[in-house]
Amino acid sequence: MVQVDKYLYHMRLSDETLQDVSTRFRKEMEKGLGVDTNPTASVKMLPTFVRSTPDGTEEGDFLALDLGGTNFRVLRVKVSDNGSKKVEMENQIYAIPEDLMRGSGTQLFDHIAECLASFMDQLQIKDQKLPLGFTFSFPCYQTKLDESILVTWTKGFKSSGVEGRDVVSMLRKAIRKRGDFDIDIVAVVNDTVGTMMTCGYDDHNCEIGLIVGTGSNACYMEEMRHIDLVEGDEGRMCINMEWGAFGDDGILNDIRTQFDRDIDMGSLNPGKQLFEKMISGLYMGELVRLILVKMAKEHLLFGGKLSSDLLTTGHLETRYVSAIEKEKDGLLKAHEILTKLGLDPSHEDCVATQRICEIVSTRSANLCGAALAAVLRRIKENKGVERLRSTVGVDGTVYKKHPHFARRLHKVVRRLLPDCDIRFVRSEDGSGKGAAMVTAVAYRLAAQHKARQEILEPLRLSHEQLLEVKERMKREMEQGLAKETHDEATLKMLPTYVCATPDGTEKGDFLALDLGGTNFRVLLVRIRNGMRRSVEMHHKIYTIPLDIMQGTGEELFDHIVHCISDFLEYMGMKGVSLPLGFTFSFPCYQNRLDEGILVTWTKGFKASGCEGEDVVGLLKDAIHRREEFDLDVVAVVNDTVGTMMTCGYEDPFCEVGLIVGTGSNACYMEEMNNVEVVEGDEGRMCINMEWGAFGDNGCLDDFRTEFDVLVDEHSLNPGKQRFEKMISGMYLGEIVRNILIRFTKRGLLFRGQISERLKTRGIFETKFLSQIESDRLALLQVRSILQHLGLESTCDDSIIVKEVCTVIARRAAQLCGAGMAAVVDKIRENRGLDFLKVTVGVDGTLYKLHPHFSSVMHETVKQLSPKCEVTFLQSEDGSGKGAALITAVACRFREAGQH
């Protein structure tokens, strides 16, 4: 024993060496995946175009063809998913005569088609067009799931005119030529992939296939973003590694022994598949034979005697190795086998032979485990998890028949990867059932994709539809401006009494108040003109307690004046009377610049005695009650107008303001003669459109989907602000959530399981839309966002969620663009111009933070208003700085006597 161990010292690999082999294999994988390194890589890492493993909902009737040796099989596989996940199979084996293996490709495929026909006759299914999966276990190059180009024949096949051609089209041709049946060839599969898919049906964690039989190979699910050879970064794809060729570039030379070199020299393909020759069944017995011969020659065995049988290649079969290693009668078997080989073994010879077998098969399991560990480590890093739970589907005679191989393989993988929980599952008929599974999954994916697209179709808007939205917006604008239709109009088109944008000569110190939510700001804005033109701001934020928001109007305005007083003291400006601009972001009617009559409270405010009152009057009363200071309230401003004014200070072409944040609104400079509700025809006035209400009269009903209706019905103000509910940040997440629920109910997402979280309104915040659609984010991060929402998602689920987010945000940006196009075209037509150059000042979180919203909106405006050159400028602080600038412009006019 000791003698054998010493003699075969180089075959006994330490864990340190195995880790090293594992690291080398990992590098080879990366080479095979890289577009520049692939041509010279020995491990080819072939894309299989299988993008998903089974999820257990597959069903239907499928055919499978399995061609990988001298026999081939035709199978019919019935998969049913009525809760029981049953797979029924019938199959027939057909021989391939020797002359056909060496004849022409046409004859070979005619023979296959004929066998297929007779099988379908037998089952009386010739009249059905069934989907078929084709297991073709030869080295192939794939560019699609249903196309496979044979690189080279192996296993004794020499059929002419097939190498370099697509085997699917050859089979289709042979079937068409017959004309007595038709099938739909959906997928060509390698047997390793079939192995993974068969196990995947029963265990959804299965993402690796392994074969250790006559030959050896493995496949696994890789992230698309790492597969340079295939377009696209979304999702995963199964990679057929062809790992038998590991070492063909010499990287394993220090580990290969003289026996490995001898085996390679005597093989049919010297220098090729060197890793396979160290581990697979075709060579294991031969390795043992070579060792026995060499030891006998050196008088270490059989008393130095050799027999002609022992000297003949292939006479010690791998199944003998399995027999000799059996726990109970292994030594007896050794005696029996050695005697059959013409030797006269002593007891010591039998013990030594058993030990040699053990060392050779253990090395095989160890090397196999080292490569497998590299694959698992890669999957673990791809997923970015602390502990990986994964399943390996395994097939092959060595794994299944050798008494200790499987146990040794499991042990070495666990030693090399202590931070992974790996399950090994024996695959049943990967090449038959597996091919049908690949086909069933492809069918399920296609059907689900179609169903999802049908649901999303109404949310994808064509150029014609967007033009129609633009026309309707224009019509509604005109109704809001005209005197006789103004009262019924949904677009209120409110006059703001802001009659000019800044011209750069503004100067002075101004106060601004900004009230539009639970926080309230007081600002001091210093505007300088001339050479040192600048705007300098100081501000302080105050909260408004809930009891004051919902108390009396007097209490609310007393609180506001108290905050102003505190701010003036803080700035050391007590007793100074300054002009003040008041940003009051609630719906108001104005008859003058310095008056705003509150139509109705929104955003949770309920202070009594304010609705129908002038808020400037309420503010002035509160200032007089305090008797501390006096302020000159010059302007009441809506935040959209403030946005336009801030940008107008930077860019004289700015005549439009747009907000797309939590809510949405727009304003623009309209000709006075079109503003019929205000006296006078000279000059221009800014119109606050309140465009969120567009569609409240039903004029957008043919564009609203069932999901928009659902969101509207469950909102705080059903029937109101319908346009806003299709485009603004407060609602997009809700639209997405409703679509995801619909998908899940129809079994198109999350395996049909609706979690309690998904049923919760408002969980899908709009910031998630921005995060999910960010291009830098891998799907991994989409999954973690979904996990944070309590949604367990697969990789495929993440792609679908991302697609829904894209569709909804795109539609929002296009609708917003259509509205904007109506506005800029109206300005152009007002002025009788063939071409208009105009700037839009924009603010709002959706516009500023979403990765694609702004670019889609810009593109839409460009397409719908080709006669306008529109520039978009991001506004900084429209509600603070903007209010001060409006005040400054008003003071400029006042001083010039243009009052």
Side-chain angles (χ1 to χ4, degrees), residues 692-711:
F694 177 38
D696 289 3
N697 57 1
C699 73
L700 286 179
D701 284 0
D702 46 339
F703 293 107
R704 292 173 74 230
T705 63
E706 48 180 318
F707 306 109
D708 296 305
V709 174
L710 270 172
V711 169

Side-chain angles (χ1 to χ4, degrees), residues 844-858:
T845 44
L846 189 61
Y847 182 87
K848 287 184 171 175
L849 301 181
H850 191 282
H852 308 301
F853 187 95
S854 57
S855 54
V856 174
M857 186 187 94
H858 299 169

Side-chain angles (χ1 to χ4, degrees), residues 51-190:
R51 296 170 187 268
S52 187
T53 50
D55 71 355
T57 65
E58 289 73 21
E59 53 192 331
D61 227 342
F62 303 95
L63 289 170
L65 265 186
D66 174 18
L67 176 65
T70 44
N71 287 334
F72 86 95
R73 289 187 305 158
V74 183
L75 305 93
R76 178 210 196 166
V77 182
K78 268 188 153 150
V79 186
S80 55
D81 168 42
N82 40 24
S84 59
K85 293 214 309 194
K86 281 216 314 284
V87 180
E88 301 165 52
M89 306 207 293
E90 300 158 86
N91 71 47
Q92 183 80 42
I93 294 178
Y94 298 92
I96 296 179
E98 191 80 18
D99 58 321
L100 275 183
M101 285 171 70
R102 305 203 177 336
S104 78
T106 318
Q107 290 171 307
L108 175 66
F109 283 99
D110 284 350
H111 175 66
I112 293 174
E114 186 167 332
C115 298
L116 200 50
S118 91
F119 179 75
M120 292 174 80
D121 260 341
Q122 234 173 309
L123 295 179
Q124 301 173 329
I125 50 174
K126 251 188 171 169
D127 54 335
Q128 301 177 36
K129 184 175 178 177
L130 293 178
L132 175 135
F134 185 9
T135 300
F136 187 72
S137 301
F138 299 93
C140 279
Y141 174 69
Q142 276 186 278
T143 52
K144 299 205 283 279
L145 187 57
D146 63 348
E147 175 183 278
S148 201
I149 292 150
L150 175 66
V151 179
T152 157
W153 281 118
T154 53
K155 311 182 205 180
F157 274 77
K158 284 276 181 297
S159 217
S160 64
V162 186
E163 291 183 343
R165 289 185 57 192
D166 169 27
V167 293
V168 174
S169 55
M170 294 187 80
L171 178 58
R172 281 185 181 140
K173 205 164 157 188
I175 292 169
R176 264 205 305 275
K177 198 158 67 183
R178 295 180 59 88
D180 58 343
F181 69 94
D182 192 13
I183 52 172
D184 177 14
I185 304 173
V186 173
V188 188
V189 196
N190 169 292

Side-chain angles (χ1 to χ4, degrees), residues 496-531:
T496 63
Y497 295 86
V498 169
C499 297
T501 50
D503 67 358
T505 64
E506 292 75 19
K507 63 176 193 294
D509 289 0
F510 304 92
L511 275 181
L513 301 185
D514 175 16
L515 177 67
T518 44
N519 283 338
F520 159 69
R521 288 189 308 159
V522 185
L523 304 94
L524 172 69
V525 182
R526 294 204 153 110
I527 303 175
R528 304 275 166 271
N529 68 356
M531 293 296 287

Side-chain angles (χ1 to χ4, degrees), residues 544-733:
I544 297 181
L546 193 66
D547 57 325
I548 288 185
M549 279 168 70
Q550 301 181 353
T552 68
E554 284 197 356
E555 287 167 350
L556 174 63
F557 281 93
D558 282 346
H559 177 71
I560 290 172
V561 171
H562 169 73
C563 296
I564 298 173
S565 167
D566 173 79
F567 178 75
L568 289 173
E569 194 158 338
Y570 164 75
M571 293 298 295
M573 297 180 65
K574 260 293 178 41
V576 183
S577 175
L578 290 175
L580 174 128
F582 188 5
T583 299
F584 187 72
S585 301
F586 299 91
C588 277
Y589 266 113
Q590 286 187 271
N591 292 314
R592 302 195 304 276
L593 181 60
D594 61 354
E595 168 193 270
I597 292 158
L598 176 64
V599 179
T600 159
W601 281 121
T602 54
K603 310 180 206 181
F605 276 77
K606 286 208 175 47
S608 61
C610 297
E611 292 180 356
E613 296 294 325
D614 169 21
V615 294
V616 176
L618 296 173
L619 180 63
K620 283 183 168 161
D621 291 348
I623 290 173
H624 294 148
R625 277 199 295 278
R626 195 167 175 101
E627 293 182 338
E628 237 181 63
F629 52 85
D630 202 15
L631 292 172
D632 173 14
V633 183
V634 175
V636 179
V637 196
N638 169 291
D639 53 355
T640 317
V641 183
T643 298
M644 177 186 80
M645 294 299 268
T646 316
C647 292
Y649 188 67
E650 312 294 330
D651 179 342
F653 285 104
C654 183
E655 303 187 70
V656 185
L658 169 67
I659 289 187
V660 203
T662 318
S664 180
N665 191 12
C667 69
Y668 71 103
M669 297 303 286
E670 177 57 271
E671 305 302 312
M672 274 299 284
N673 58 359
N674 291 335
V675 188
E676 295 182 7
V677 290
V678 178
E679 290 299 308
D681 283 345
E682 287 305 305
R684 299 183 182 139
M685 182 181 284
C686 179
I687 294 294
N688 165 18
M689 295 172 65
E690 290 291 343
W691 85 356
F694 177 38
D696 289 3
N697 57 1
C699 73
L700 286 179
D701 284 0
D702 46 339
F703 293 107
R704 292 173 74 230
T705 63
E706 48 180 318
F707 306 109
D708 296 305
V709 174
L710 270 172
V711 169
D712 181 37
E713 281 171 359
H714 292 293
S715 67
L716 289 171
N717 52 350
K720 299 256 188 294
Q721 300 293 89
R722 287 180 179 176
F723 186 56
E724 180 170 80
K725 284 171 189 164
M726 292 167 85
I727 64 174
S728 82
M730 188 160 170
Y731 304 99
L732 296 188

Side-chain angles (χ1 to χ4, degrees), residues 157-402:
F157 274 77
K158 284 276 181 297
S159 217
S160 64
V162 186
E163 291 183 343
R165 289 185 57 192
D166 169 27
V167 293
V168 174
S169 55
M170 294 187 80
L171 178 58
R172 281 185 181 140
K173 205 164 157 188
I175 292 169
R176 264 205 305 275
K177 198 158 67 183
R178 295 180 59 88
D180 58 343
F181 69 94
D182 192 13
I183 52 172
D184 177 14
I185 304 173
V186 173
V188 188
V189 196
N190 169 292
D191 52 353
T192 319
V193 181
T195 298
M196 176 187 79
M197 295 298 267
T198 312
C199 294
Y201 185 65
D202 299 312
D203 180 335
H204 300 325
N205 280 330
C206 183
E207 45 195 349
I208 299 181
L210 168 67
I211 290 185
V212 199
T214 318
S216 178
N217 191 12
C219 69
Y220 73 105
M221 296 302 286
E222 175 59 88
E223 303 287 324
M224 277 290 287
R225 63 176 191 274
H226 297 317
I227 307 173
D228 293 353
L229 301 162
V230 182
E231 278 297 294
D233 284 341
E234 306 271 290
R236 307 200 299 170
M237 183 181 284
C238 179
I239 292 288
N240 163 20
M241 302 172 71
E242 292 292 344
W243 82 2
F246 176 37
D248 290 6
D249 54 0
I251 191 120
L252 293 177
N253 287 353
D254 56 333
I255 288 169
R256 292 172 68 229
T257 63
Q258 191 52 52
F259 305 111
D260 295 306
R261 288 192 274 278
D262 292 346
I263 267 204
D264 181 46
M265 295 309 285
S267 69
L268 289 168
N269 54 350
K272 298 257 186 293
Q273 300 293 93
L274 298 183
F275 186 58
E276 182 171 80
K277 285 172 187 162
M278 294 168 83
I279 60 178
S280 84
L282 191 59
Y283 307 99
M284 209 181 268
E286 190 58 17
L287 271 171
V288 171
R289 186 187 70 81
L290 290 173
I291 294 167
L292 292 178
V293 169
K294 194 155 192 270
M295 286 183 78
K297 280 184 178 164
E298 295 178 23
H299 288 273
L300 298 170
L301 285 176
F302 315 127
K305 294 193 180 65
L306 289 154
S307 67
S308 61
D309 262 337
L310 187 64
L311 288 167
T312 313
T313 304
H315 271 208
L316 202 152
E317 297 172 41
T318 296
R319 62 194 173 96
Y320 296 167
V321 177
S322 294
I324 291 170
E325 280 195 67
K326 284 226 169 79
E327 296 278 344
K328 291 214 174 80
D329 47 4
L331 287 172
L332 262 144
K333 279 280 185 228
H335 195 276
E336 189 184 306
I337 287 162
L338 293 169
T339 309
K340 208 163 85 181
L341 290 171
L343 297 159
D344 180 16
S346 66
H347 176 69
E348 281 72 26
D349 290 338
C350 292
V351 170
T353 303
Q354 187 179 46
R355 181 66 182 146
I356 291 166
C357 289
E358 220 168 80
I359 288 173
V360 169
S361 66
T362 301
R363 182 182 74 152
S364 167
N366 282 346
L367 286 171
C368 202
L372 193 57
V375 179
L376 287 159
R377 166 106 27 236
R378 180 164 177 95
I379 291 177
K380 179 176 184 289
E381 284 173 22
N382 280 346
K383 289 191 174 177
V385 288
E386 287 291 309
R387 263 192 103 73
L388 175 70
R389 288 189 47 201
S390 195
T391 300
V392 183
V394 202
D395 204 348
T397 43
V398 173
Y399 183 86
K400 288 184 168 176
K401 300 261 167 64
H402 187 285

